[in-house]
Amino acid sequence: MADEIGSAVNFDEAGGWWKVRENLSKVTEEAVKRVQDDQQKAKQVGQQIQADHATNVKLAQFLSFLIKVIKDDKVIKGLYDTFFKIKHPETNIVYIRKSVNTLVIVGMFAPFYAQEAKKEKIDGLFNDLYDAHAPLSLSSYVHYLKKLSAKYHDNVPLDKSVFIKFLVDVVSHYGLIATSKLTNQEYADLQQSISKELYWH
């Protein structure tokens, strides 16, 4: 028994027990720090979800406004065909998207309704992509769309021909071209011109 106590004391004097205690203390501190870090990350995620929800509500309100003010059926149909329908690149089967890229849809129309975008407090999402004080032209609008796509595209490919047709209807509707009544040839030429500027620059 005395030998056992002696060996325990020797073990203790050698620092064995203290090392175990130090290691336990270290592990406990690391665990507490890890939990605190996880809690901080969870809090940040929660804040981001709340911010995203608030932004999504504002975007939905702007979309609701758009549906009320756009009276041109071609633009509404083009919006639906472009963003809600997706053609599978291999099978060519068209299907309806479960969710759409609201930021890009709203972004396409925000320059035409700057006051409403400001009222809904979503203008900040697009301010760095175009100069709200400069007059909008066909060229500046197409340049803006390239930046909008680079920033907010969700990597779901749009049907290029449907998108270009939709764009022609949009720029015609908002007066970015000289006339809203285009001949078939002018319509085709404008499609080709926009396509070149959008996809090859």
Side-chain angles (χ1 to χ4, degrees):
M1 173 106 177
D3 289 342
E4 287 174 13
I5 293 170
S7 66
V9 171
N10 289 340
F11 186 74
D12 192 33
E13 286 172 359
W17 290 118
W18 293 117
K19 282 185 182 172
V20 170
R21 285 184 194 139
E22 283 174 13
N23 288 343
L24 281 174
S25 177
K26 196 178 205 180
V27 168
T28 305
E29 286 173 20
E30 287 173 1
V32 168
K33 187 170 181 346
R34 193 167 39 252
V35 168
Q36 288 172 339
D37 288 347
D38 288 348
Q39 286 174 339
Q40 183 62 30
K41 286 175 189 167
K43 184 179 176 184
Q44 288 170 344
V45 168
Q47 289 169 339
Q48 186 61 48
I49 288 169
Q50 286 180 338
D52 288 349
H53 175 71
T55 300
N56 286 338
V57 168
K58 292 172 187 173
L59 292 170
Q61 287 169 335
F62 188 86
L63 279 176
S64 192
F65 161 78
L66 283 178
I67 299 304
K68 286 180 198 165
V69 298
I70 298 173
K71 305 298 183 195
D72 189 339
D73 289 340
K74 285 191 299 186
V75 173
I76 296 296
K77 182 180 183 314
L79 189 152
Y80 179 77
D81 289 344
T82 301
F83 293 103
F84 288 81
K85 291 181 177 180
I86 298 296
K87 187 191 285 185
H88 191 282
E90 293 170 9
T91 63
N92 282 338
I93 293 173
V94 175
Y95 60 94
I96 306 300
R97 286 186 66 170
K98 291 180 182 175
S99 64
V100 294
N101 190 336
T102 311
L103 275 167
V104 169
I105 296 173
V106 168
M108 284 192 69
F109 293 93
F112 303 115
Y113 300 103
Q115 289 304 315
E116 188 65 23
K118 193 169 188 176
K119 179 183 157 192
E120 294 296 343
K121 297 182 177 153
I122 57 168
D123 54 322
L125 296 168
F126 312 106
N127 278 349
D128 61 328
L129 304 177
Y130 75 102
D131 182 357
H133 303 294
L136 205 56
S137 66
L138 176 59
S139 183
S140 68
Y141 181 64
V142 171
H143 184 66
Y144 160 73
L145 290 180
K146 288 197 283 189
K147 292 198 281 187
L148 177 71
S149 177
K151 185 169 184 178
Y152 292 122
H153 199 285
D154 60 2
N155 294 323
V156 175
L158 301 176
D159 185 315
K160 184 177 164 184
S161 63
V162 173
F163 180 55
I164 295 297
K165 183 178 181 301
F166 169 57
L167 272 183
V168 170
D169 291 335
V170 167
V171 298
S172 174
H173 178 76
Y174 290 102
L176 297 185
I177 54 174
T179 178
S180 59
K181 299 281 185 186
L182 296 169
T183 67
N184 289 342
Q185 187 57 52
E186 288 170 333
Y187 195 91
D189 290 346
L190 187 54
Q191 279 184 303
Q192 189 174 12
S193 171
I194 289 175
S195 182
K196 266 187 185 176
E197 193 167 346
L198 198 57
Y199 291 104
W200 288 298
H201 281 277

